[in-house]
Amino acid sequence: MSDFAKTDIWVFDLDNTLYPSSCNLFELVSDKMNAFIEEFLGVDLAEAKRIRHEYYLKYGTTLSGLMQAHDLEPEKFLAFVHDIDHSRLDENPKLGAAIRALPGRKLIYTNGSVAHAEGVAGKIGILDAFEGVFDIKAANYVPKPEEKAFAQFLHDHDVDPARAAMFEDLPHNLVPAHACGMTTVLVHSDFDDHPSQQDASAEKLPSHVHHRTEDLTAFLQQLLD
């Protein structure tokens, strides 16, 4: 845990990181993306699913693919896909207490929207632990793991990477965090939808991942002991 001795900026991804993937909340977002694509492109569900996943892998997010390939205006998409029922989420007072006890600043960095982050973090009961949210709009719709997006995040929130740690469920999103000098923590997710997840087992982590945890709350509590 000596990696965190100088850490006073704590950066957390949102989906499948600040809540367990086992609740399947992001499945609702994926279903909404499929429905949007069906309507927007006039395709059936099977084709919508194919396009969603293809664009996610090729462009970083489905939204980015729709913007680049079909000139989609992003606001309508974001509002639609993040209009979900949060009842699958449980309040997590232990996680909230651990995050609040961390020394220094805490931020959320998401490829989703501020509204989505506020809805999710609010339902978990941890929203007040964070000083701000950096979302896809703030990144000018350039998604993680693009270096340009990370540079924008660091600039907008005055983050010194040498003093920062980032927590993510997607290994490839930690590549630019590691490259700029942040301590990186991979939070295990059962929502396996990217090839990079298959290359980051507990037995063999990629070089850009410093730590891995099955339980974010327990990991943070260990840091505080």
Side-chain angles (χ1 to χ4, degrees):
M1 294 300 149
S2 60
D3 288 355
F4 301 91
K6 297 181 180 179
T7 302
D8 61 2
I9 307 172
W10 309 85
V11 184
F12 295 86
D13 172 52
L14 180 73
D15 289 305
N16 297 322
T17 297
L18 286 175
Y19 60 83
S21 61
S22 57
C23 75
N24 291 323
L25 184 76
F26 201 73
E27 178 183 43
L28 299 179
V29 178
S30 295
D31 289 345
K32 296 279 286 198
M33 289 185 194
N34 294 335
F36 186 95
I37 294 169
E38 281 188 87
E39 175 67 23
F40 182 62
L41 296 181
V43 297
D44 63 19
L45 178 58
E47 179 64 4
K49 289 181 177 179
R50 187 196 67 78
I51 291 170
R52 174 182 58 79
H53 195 62
E54 176 188 324
Y55 285 2
Y56 167 57
L57 296 180
K58 182 177 181 180
Y59 297 99
T61 61
T62 300
L63 171 60
S64 182
L66 291 171
M67 291 176 67
Q68 294 185 55
H70 304 283
D71 295 322
L72 171 71
E73 291 294 330
E75 293 295 342
K76 183 177 180 180
F77 175 88
L78 290 170
F80 181 83
V81 303
H82 291 144
D83 182 15
I84 57 174
D85 179 6
H86 294 112
S87 63
R88 296 186 181 187
L89 294 172
D90 293 323
E91 189 171 351
N92 193 341
K94 290 184 178 180
L95 175 61
I99 292 174
R100 292 182 187 94
L102 293 170
R105 304 163 58 204
K106 299 97 182 185
L107 299 160
I108 293 174
Y109 180 1
T110 176
N111 275 344
S113 65
V114 166
H116 179 53
E118 290 177 344
V120 169
K123 182 64 167 61
I124 300 170
I126 61 174
L127 181 59
D128 67 329
F130 297 95
E131 73 171 52
V133 177
F134 185 81
D135 74 341
I136 194 66
K137 183 176 181 180
N140 297 312
Y141 301 103
V142 178
K144 294 182 282 186
E146 295 291 333
E147 292 182 7
K148 181 179 179 180
F150 266 81
Q152 190 70 51
F153 164 70
L154 297 176
H155 174 269
D156 287 4
H157 288 277
D158 192 24
V159 172
D160 177 358
R163 295 165 48 200
M166 184 159 187
F167 297 78
E168 256 278 357
D169 68 300
L170 296 174
H172 64 288
N173 282 348
L174 290 172
V175 171
H178 174 271
C180 71
M182 299 173 74
T183 300
T184 59
V185 183
L186 179 65
V187 180
H188 174 73
S189 170
D190 291 322
F191 191 80
D192 188 349
D193 67 341
H194 195 280
S196 70
Q197 290 172 286
Q198 300 165 17
D199 299 326
S201 67
E203 293 76 24
K204 185 178 180 181
L205 291 176
S207 60
H208 63 275
V209 176
H210 298 125
H211 303 272
R212 180 184 184 275
T213 182
E214 299 273 347
D215 185 331
L216 176 61
T217 301
F219 186 89
L220 297 179
Q221 289 172 335
Q222 185 179 1
L223 286 178
L224 294 166
D225 287 344

